Amino acid sequence: HLEKKGTVVCVGGGTGIAVLHPITRGLKDVGNHVIGIIGARTQNLLIMEDNMRAASHDLRICTDDGSYGHHGFVTDVLKEILDSQDVAMVVAIGPIPMMKFVCGITKEYGVSTMVSLNPIMVDGTGMCGGCRVTVGGKTKYACVDGPDFDGHQVDFDEAMRRQQMYKNEEQEAHQCRIGLGRA
């Protein structure tokens, strides 16, 4: 996907910004006009602003609480851009709900959208099935078939359900860690 396409919007949320950064930089390096949109719940959770500013021609910042940049979601700013410019492609990396809503918007506009999925991966070979996702109605494994997929083909609802599968075990492990004094 690192080829010249025209105007590309790179949307990152939370820690997904770190994964998005090299892709953003690469898209700019091959000659695209890159608009970056990054967001976090609050200003002090926003990461890599300077890096993303350098990798983008235009960087827009959003915080859910309005403490910095646009008060609202990255999808608000994305919609404004899609309403005013011809966009060839969108890349979205961040929380699954964010990627789902980005893809819902870009599908309405007919804009190709790539997402990067990061489900639990155990063995990196696809044999354990931990990173199983449904893309285009077919079972894929993020560790070997991805992690990048056509966002319009991803079953995000299933991905969100699978992401919650180990929630109890994660909470139990966290409580054990706190009990051992490693908070």
Side-chain angles (χ1 to χ4, degrees):
H1 57 271
L2 292 179
E3 60 188 46
K4 188 170 182 177
K5 294 180 176 286
T7 297
V8 178
V9 179
C10 295
V11 184
T15 58
I17 297 167
V19 179
L20 182 67
H21 175 257
I23 295 168
T24 305
R25 188 180 59 227
L27 287 165
K28 183 179 180 186
D29 288 349
V30 298
N32 292 291
H33 177 76
V34 177
I35 302 171
I37 307 171
I38 58 174
R41 286 191 311 257
T42 187
Q43 181 178 3
N44 47 341
L45 294 177
L46 189 69
I47 64 170
M48 300 186 69
E49 177 183 352
D50 293 338
N51 300 78
M52 285 298 291
R53 190 171 308 285
S56 307
H57 292 94
D58 177 13
L59 181 65
R60 317 279 179 96
I61 297 170
C62 307
T63 53
D64 298 356
D65 67 359
S67 57
Y68 187 54
H70 171 79
H71 182 183
F73 302 122
V74 294
T75 50
D76 302 335
V77 175
L78 174 62
K79 190 163 179 8
E80 290 172 10
I81 292 168
L82 293 172
D83 281 338
S84 65
Q85 298 185 45
D86 184 27
V87 173
M89 182 174 117
V90 171
V91 179
I93 305 175
I96 291 176
M98 181 208 85
M99 292 188 290
K100 176 183 177 177
F101 288 111
V102 164
C103 291
I105 290 168
T106 59
K107 191 169 190 175
E108 291 176 26
Y109 287 83
V111 176
S112 165
T113 304
M114 192 269 301
V115 298
S116 186
L117 303 180
N118 62 350
I120 292 173
M121 296 184 202
V122 178
D123 65 8
T125 67
M127 292 182 68
C128 75
C131 65
R132 184 173 67 246
V133 293
T134 300
V135 180
K138 296 182 178 165
T139 298
K140 301 285 183 179
Y141 300 93
C143 69
V144 294
D145 298 316
D148 300 337
F149 296 99
D150 175 345
H152 297 156
Q153 299 294 313
V154 173
D155 183 338
F156 286 106
D157 293 331
E158 177 192 62
M160 284 188 274
R161 284 191 304 274
R162 288 186 55 77
Q163 190 177 43
Q164 298 300 312
M165 287 177 62
Y166 299 104
K167 191 169 189 76
N168 292 337
E169 289 83 357
E170 288 174 7
Q171 288 174 342
E172 185 178 316
H174 181 68
Q175 291 303 317
C176 288
R177 192 177 87 207
I178 290 172
L180 296 173
R182 293 188 281 159

